[in-house]
């Protein structure tokens, strides 16, 4: 004789099954699209007084392609354009594909819609080269956003800071010293470099702040353990503000995914970096 399942037991099984399904689905289908807009106070000791409060919005690791549809990309770009900022910086990995140009040719016309009063500046990441180096460089230059291997001044009154760009750490010549070769040593310099391992290379130029992505914050952060996988040599380079031996470094968790389409306890982010004079204050 079959045992009848009581209504209470049926509901209990249903709730347990629902929680189990949500737990399984959440990292794959939900958290990847819960984009945060996070503001960080970034201390810089060499910051000119006119730039105290200068605001940079960073877009990185968009990885347009599988499970990052164009509608989501458009939403992100629209959101960034509505934010209060002085400049926008884009630090690479705009596509996911390898050995192809379809995603590259699709994403760049949308990246060219970004707007900021003091400009939009971009470099490439390893995935942009893995897609197609020639095509990625073509669009980088066509966009008017390219800062690869060069530096440009941002001027406020009689003071300025310099924004420079590196080639990708894995797939290009970094060219950090060349980018700043004509800039006075005493002036404030900010570098865009996709991979934070660039901070540990042999450049000689004093960099006041390096802005990077690439790590995705690990994509999965296990409580009390941290990210089990980080695609960098220096495993202390996960995300957030870090004082290294050579420069101050900020690493964004980025927006997309690579390797596996999962985010857990590591929400994707658009970063707002508010520059402040360094008085050794705590970075929030």
């Amino acid at each position: 004789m079959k045992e009848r399942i009581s209504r209470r037991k049926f509901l209990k099984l249903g709730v347990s099954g629902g929680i189990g399904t949500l737990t399984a689905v959440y990292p794959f289908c939900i958290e990847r699209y819960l984009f945060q807009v996070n503001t960080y106070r970034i201390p810089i000791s060499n910051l000119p007084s006119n730039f105290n409060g200068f605001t940079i919005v960073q877009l990185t690791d968009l990885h347009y392609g599988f499970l990052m549809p164009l509608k989501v990309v458009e939403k992100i770009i629209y959101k960034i354009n509505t934010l209060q900022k002085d400049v926008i910086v884009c630090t690479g990995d705009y596509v996911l594909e390898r050995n192809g140009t379809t995603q590259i040719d699709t994403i760049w016309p949308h990246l060219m819609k970004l707007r900021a009063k003091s400009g939009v500046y971009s470099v490439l990441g390893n995935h942009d080269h893995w897609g197609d180096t020639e095509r990625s460089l073509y669009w980088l230059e066509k966009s008017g956003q390219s800062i690869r291997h060069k530096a440009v001044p941002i001027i406020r009154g009689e003071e300025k800071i310099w924004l420079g760009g590196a080639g990708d750490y894995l797939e290009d010549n970094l060219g950090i010293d060349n980018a700043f070769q004509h800039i006075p040593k005493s002036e404030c310099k900010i570098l865009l470099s996709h991979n934070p391992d660039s901070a540990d290379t042999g450049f000689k130029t004093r960099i006041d702040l390096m802005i990077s992505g690439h790590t995705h914050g690990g994509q999965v952060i296990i409580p009390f353990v941290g990210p089990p996988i980080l695609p960098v040599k220096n495993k202390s380079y996960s995300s957030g503000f870090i004082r290294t031996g050579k420069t101050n470094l900020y690493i964004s968790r980025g927006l997309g995914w690579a390797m596996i389409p999962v985010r857990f306890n590591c929400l994707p982010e658009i970063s707002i970096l508010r520059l402040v004079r360094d008085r050794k204050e705590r970075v929030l």
Side-chain angles (χ1 to χ4, degrees):
M1 186 175 178
K2 293 183 179 180
E3 181 182 356
R4 295 183 65 184
I5 300 176
S6 68
R7 182 173 180 272
R8 185 174 182 179
K9 187 174 182 180
F10 177 79
L11 291 173
K12 192 173 182 180
L13 287 171
V15 170
S16 298
I19 292 172
T21 301
L22 181 61
T23 301
V25 168
Y26 174 80
F28 290 91
C29 300
I30 300 176
E31 185 164 325
R32 286 189 298 103
Y33 300 121
L34 298 178
F35 304 109
Q36 292 184 323
V37 178
N38 294 324
T39 300
Y40 301 87
R41 289 165 58 86
I42 304 296
I44 297 181
S45 60
N46 197 34
L47 188 70
S49 58
N50 284 350
F51 286 86
N52 197 47
F54 188 82
T55 302
I56 300 170
V57 170
Q58 181 189 10
L59 180 155
T60 195
D61 296 276
L62 189 59
H63 288 293
Y64 161 65
F66 180 60
L67 296 178
M68 177 58 81
L70 201 56
K71 285 187 177 180
V72 175
V73 171
E74 291 171 342
K75 180 180 177 181
I76 290 168
I77 289 174
Y78 173 80
K79 180 62 178 178
I80 289 175
N81 279 338
T82 66
L83 297 174
Q84 295 294 317
K85 71 273 182 188
D86 293 295
V87 299
I88 297 171
V89 300
C90 303
T91 48
D93 276 9
Y94 311 111
V95 298
L96 189 62
E97 70 184 334
R98 294 200 183 204
N99 302 318
T101 62
T102 301
Q103 292 177 7
I104 295 169
D105 288 341
T106 301
I107 194 61
W108 270 101
H110 291 274
L111 293 173
M112 290 167 65
K113 296 177 183 178
L114 291 166
R115 297 288 183 269
K117 61 184 178 182
S118 293
V120 180
Y121 305 95
S122 301
V123 295
L124 298 180
N126 53 293
H127 274 267
D128 306 306
H129 288 276
W130 292 349
D132 187 277
T133 294
E134 184 177 345
R135 198 63 177 166
S136 291
L137 288 172
Y138 163 80
W139 277 107
L140 183 67
E141 294 299 327
K142 180 180 174 65
S143 70
Q145 300 173 8
S146 178
I147 202 171
R148 171 182 173 264
H149 294 164
K150 59 187 175 184
V152 297
I154 309 293
I155 300 170
R156 280 190 168 184
E158 296 182 355
E159 295 180 320
K160 66 169 73 76
I161 61 175
W162 292 87
L163 196 60
D168 181 63
Y169 174 84
L170 295 175
E171 299 295 333
D172 195 4
N173 172 26
L174 279 174
I176 296 173
D177 289 327
N178 286 338
F180 293 103
Q181 62 181 320
H182 301 300
I183 313 305
K185 292 182 179 180
S186 61
E187 297 197 0
C188 183
K189 305 175 191 70
I190 297 173
L191 175 73
L192 310 186
S193 186
H194 175 70
N195 190 321
D197 276 329
S198 303
D200 297 335
T201 60
F203 63 90
K204 298 178 180 179
T205 303
R206 194 202 69 228
I207 303 296
D208 296 285
L209 174 67
M210 183 179 294
I211 302 174
S212 298
H214 184 65
T215 67
H216 308 173
Q219 286 189 198
V220 173
I221 298 179
I222 300 172
F224 309 110
V225 175
I229 299 175
L230 281 174
V232 284
K233 290 182 179 180
N234 191 328
K235 300 306 178 183
S236 67
Y237 293 166
S238 174
S239 65
F241 179 82
I242 301 166
R243 295 183 188 271
T244 77
K246 296 186 73 172
T247 181
N248 288 340
L249 171 65
Y250 173 76
I251 308 166
S252 172
R253 297 196 301 267
L255 291 157
W257 64 274
M259 295 185 288
I260 53 173
V262 172
R263 282 213 182 232
F264 178 73
N265 199 27
C266 185
L267 290 169
E269 68 175 349
I270 298 166
S271 299
I272 301 176
L273 310 182
R274 186 159 292 126
L275 308 187
V276 296
R277 296 279 294 179
D278 189 358
R279 297 184 179 88
K280 304 299 182 185
E281 70 260 39
R282 182 169 175 262
V283 180
L284 301 178

